[in-house]
Amino acid sequence: MPSPDADDPSPRTLGPRVILGGAFWSLRQAVRTNPRWVALAALASLLLALIPAAQVSVVAWVVESAAGSTWSDALVPVLVLTALVGLSQVVSSAENLTGQRASLRLRSDLVRRTAATAAVLTPRRIADPRVHALVEGGRNSTFELARGPISVISALSAIVAAIALGAALLPFSAVAAGLVVLALVPGLITFSWAARMQDEQFDEETRHAFRARYLLDQLIDLRTARELATLGTGPKVAAKANDAHGRATEILDRTYARLLKGELLGGIVTALLLGGALIAVLSAGSGSAGLMAGVLGVIAGLQATRGAGFALGDVISVAPKIVRFRELEELADSAPTQHVVGEVGSLEAHRLSITYPGADRPALRGASLRAEAGEMIALVGVNGAGKTTLVSALMGIVGPDHGVVEIDGVDAGELLAAERLGRFGLVTQEFGRYEMTVRDAVALGTPREDVADDEIWQALDDARAGDLVRRFPEGLDTMLGPQFGGVGLSGGQWQRIALARIHLRGAGIRVLDEPTSAIDAEAEQEVFAQLRETAAGHITIVVSHRAWTLRGMDRIHVLEEGRIVETGTYEELLAPGTRFAEIFAQQLS
């Protein structure tokens, strides 16, 4: 049954509507985060746009005045021209600094929003490659998105500059004025085509780039780097990282090669238009003043069209990234806050079947089970038997092709993901090793913000980690992990911290997938003894490969090739000829 929050990404079309929508979105975000600096940047940009046209008129004034009887006749226009040149320098610096400050504030806001969105994604969405690409793309594009509003302002100002120049040239040559304004068009077309092409390459390039970053992270992260160094296999990972990075680079290189050809063509057309404008000025016969002003206007027009082209190119190229960022935020728009439900009366699965994409056979076939509050049940089987898939189906992390999961008699598929997950607490052998303070690492077990230290200590004691933390130099304030100068922990100690999170969470259904794989046998007995002591208020599901941990289970389900082939107590399943006895024969001997 599909989840109520399943994804259905809509296709994107990079057209004028998308580009204009992205431009308005950029401006709204900038104004919302820092209206004063955006206004100052816009004012400075507008002044810069009008100065070239003013200079054209003043140059004509200077030339006409210089033809007078005395040099003093040209003094005033020369002073005005000097003032315009100086003003251009000052305003240009002001535009740059105000724009950078506005972008800095906006980027900080975008980073915060990206983190907030990623934080509320459901497990199923996180596993979706398309959603993962959106998150990765959103994280990597915050700098470009933050520069978006300044690009919009610059593009508008460059267009204003070209139009103003055209108006200034109009008295000297109408043809030149029209050609200067028309020179904007080739750049607009070129950059629009370039942005569309880059958008088409985004998904493939991002996938390879992310793979390269992941592999490089394995060479940097202390835990994995130490293992690779010990095995002497770091060069293998580096080679795979280089291969993935090479594939991403090849895609970008192909794109840039095509962009170069397009921009050369656009540049040639623009140059021809401006050359035509220059010829029109020369043939207009407007006298020396008109000639000087016209030449200056055409040169300024070259700068204006080039600036407009780059600015418009930035606006166009960032448009698809804005669309993706908005898609990413929409995933979290309806995400409710998770509330942990501590009382669950029953959990039941009816004939669950799951086949993963690309698999030639089901990972789970017709699996059914039932558990009630106070019971501890176990799932056992060889690797690949379907245990983790069954757990994932119960929690809604993967959706079944057939079958239903009921919690307290209600179809769990009808619950929102946050409502369903709020009934579960999960710890696996791939638990997170969060390098934070002990307090913060344990408090990650619950979305509550009002976790008291007494609760943290109780959870640590329940996980048999309290005495360990009391020996730490700063108790709950001790930083864990070596990357930030904290206390180093063994695998078993990290696992106890993970178990403490589940005890703190207090969810009605506890799922423990190999929860003590890194703990020695004596410590494991203590952990399971505590789990049994607190079983009365919970449904506890244990996945284990250790026979002795199964002795106290109310029921054990044996999975084989995705099917539950046996169900019974530990003693019942020890009968000769059972699959359970075969699996654990060596341990039982």
Side-chain angles (χ1 to χ4, degrees):
M1 178 176 296
S3 169
D5 62 349
D7 301 306
D8 184 21
S10 56
R12 296 174 301 277
T13 302
L14 186 62
R17 185 174 179 180
V18 172
I19 295 168
L20 290 175
F24 285 126
W25 182 87
S26 286
L27 289 175
R28 283 199 306 271
Q29 305 311 306
V31 170
R32 184 178 60 80
T33 55
N34 203 343
R36 183 178 63 170
W37 289 101
V38 172
L40 289 173
L43 178 60
S45 190
L46 180 61
L47 285 174
L48 280 177
L50 296 176
I51 286 174
Q55 288 175 334
V56 169
S57 299
V58 174
V59 164
W61 183 18
V62 169
V63 174
E64 289 174 353
S65 300
S69 56
T70 63
W71 65 270
S72 60
D73 293 336
L75 181 59
V76 173
V78 167
L79 290 176
V80 173
L81 183 60
T82 302
L84 285 174
V85 173
L87 180 64
S88 175
Q89 297 298 314
V90 172
V91 175
S92 178
S93 296
E95 179 200 35
N96 182 46
L97 291 174
T98 53
Q100 285 191 32
R101 186 157 188 180
S103 296
L104 182 65
R105 295 282 184 88
L106 178 55
R107 188 181 187 191
S108 177
D109 181 65
L110 293 173
V111 169
R112 177 190 61 78
R113 287 157 61 181
T114 301
T117 299
V120 297
L121 293 178
T122 65
R124 192 182 301 187
R125 276 183 165 152
I126 291 170
D128 186 327
R130 171 63 188 156
V131 174
H132 193 275
L134 285 176
V135 176
E136 185 70 11
R139 185 182 71 168
N140 294 333
S141 64
T142 53
F143 178 79
E144 294 168 272
L145 293 176
R147 291 294 304 171
I150 303 306
S151 296
V152 173
I153 292 172
S154 297
L156 293 173
S157 298
I159 293 172
V160 169
I163 294 172
L165 281 168
L169 287 171
L170 194 60
F172 310 109
S173 171
V175 174
L179 290 174
V180 166
V181 176
L182 189 62
L184 288 169
V185 176
L188 177 61
I189 294 174
T190 299
F191 282 107
S192 178
W193 166 77
R196 185 185 297 275
M197 185 174 60
Q198 288 175 311
D199 183 51
E200 291 171 354
Q201 303 292 333
F202 174 84
D203 288 335
E204 186 181 0
E205 188 274 331
T206 298
R207 184 172 67 254
H208 291 305
F210 174 71
R211 177 68 175 168
R213 281 192 294 274
Y214 166 78
L215 292 168
L216 286 173
D217 285 344
Q218 308 317 301
L219 295 171
I220 296 171
D221 180 83
L222 286 180
R223 186 157 56 106
T224 53
R226 186 182 296 119
E227 179 182 6
L228 293 171
T230 302
L231 298 172
T233 50
K236 288 185 178 181
V237 177
K240 292 182 181 297
N242 290 336
D243 179 65
H245 188 269
R247 290 174 182 269
T249 301
E250 182 181 350
I251 294 169
L252 290 176
D253 189 57
R254 254 192 337 260
T255 302
Y256 291 153
R258 295 172 65 187
L259 288 177
L260 178 60
K261 295 177 183 177
E263 290 194 26
L264 284 174
L265 178 61
I268 290 171
V269 175
T270 300
L272 290 174
L273 290 171
L274 291 174
L278 190 58
I279 293 172
V281 168
L282 293 173
S283 60
S286 301
S288 58
L291 180 60
M292 291 291 292
V295 172
L296 176 63
V298 172
I299 294 173
L302 175 62
Q303 298 300 320
T305 54
R306 184 174 179 81
F310 281 119
L312 287 169
D314 288 342
V315 172
I316 294 168
S317 64
V318 83
K321 295 180 175 66
I322 291 173
V323 172
R324 289 189 177 89
F325 189 86
R326 296 177 73 176
E327 285 180 5
L328 176 62
E329 288 203 302
E330 286 172 4
L331 295 178
D333 282 348
S334 59
T337 302
Q338 188 183 109
H339 297 285
V340 177
V341 177
E343 296 183 3
V344 175
S346 65
L347 171 68
E348 191 164 4
H350 301 278
R351 302 193 60 78
L352 297 178
S353 295
I354 295 173
T355 301
Y356 290 113
D360 56 358
R361 62 180 183 178
L364 199 63
R365 296 186 286 181
S368 300
L369 59 79
R370 177 178 175 83
E372 298 182 354
E375 291 186 326
M376 294 182 69
I377 66 171
L379 308 177
V380 302
V382 298
N383 290 333
K387 305 182 295 299
T388 300
T389 299
L390 178 53
V391 166
S392 297
L394 293 173
M395 298 181 67
I397 295 173
V398 296
D401 303 322
H402 304 287
V404 176
V405 175
E406 293 182 351
I407 300 176
D408 288 333
V410 176
D411 183 353
E414 300 299 324
L415 299 174
L416 293 175
E419 294 175 324
R420 185 169 180 172
L421 292 171
R423 290 161 167 77
F424 288 87
L426 170 69
V427 62
T428 73
Q429 58 184 326
E430 297 178 355
F431 54 88
R433 303 187 182 201
Y434 302 105
E435 300 204 10
M436 306 174 171
T437 65
V438 176
R439 179 186 290 103
D440 290 340
V442 175
L444 290 176
T446 175
R448 289 192 295 116
E449 298 289 346
D450 58 343
V451 180
D453 283 359
D454 288 346
E455 295 178 83
I456 301 287
W457 282 116
Q458 183 61 55
L460 288 167
D461 287 335
D462 289 343
R464 300 300 190 260
D467 291 341
L468 169 70
V469 175
R470 288 183 180 92
R471 292 195 298 270
F472 288 163
E474 298 178 72
L476 297 181
D477 292 313
T478 301
M479 178 66 71
L480 299 176
Q483 294 195 79
F484 305 103
V487 173
L489 300 181
S490 67
Q493 290 168 336
W494 276 116
Q495 201 159 39
R496 292 190 189 212
I497 298 295
L499 285 165
R501 284 194 287 272
I502 299 307
H503 285 291
L504 175 69
R505 184 174 180 81
I509 306 171
R510 302 183 300 193
V511 180
L512 305 150
D513 189 347
E514 296 290 341
T516 54
S517 58
I519 296 176
D520 60 71
E522 183 178 352
E524 186 179 44
Q525 292 183 40
E526 294 179 5
V527 169
F528 271 91
Q530 201 286 329
L531 287 173
R532 293 188 185 94
E533 289 173 10
T534 58
H538 306 274
I539 295 171
T540 304
I541 303 173
V542 176
V543 179
S544 180
H545 286 96
R546 295 185 181 179
W548 85 264
T549 63
L550 306 172
R551 292 177 184 273
M553 299 294 156
D554 294 287
R555 275 183 309 286
I556 301 169
H557 299 280
V558 182
L559 282 90
E560 182 82 0
E561 296 185 348
R563 295 184 184 277
I564 295 179
V565 295
E566 293 174 352
T567 297
T569 64
Y570 180 81
E571 289 74 17
E572 291 170 344
L573 293 176
L574 283 179
T578 63
R579 180 59 180 143
F580 179 86
E582 291 177 6
I583 293 171
F584 293 101
Q586 185 173 0
Q587 294 185 42
L588 294 173
S589 65

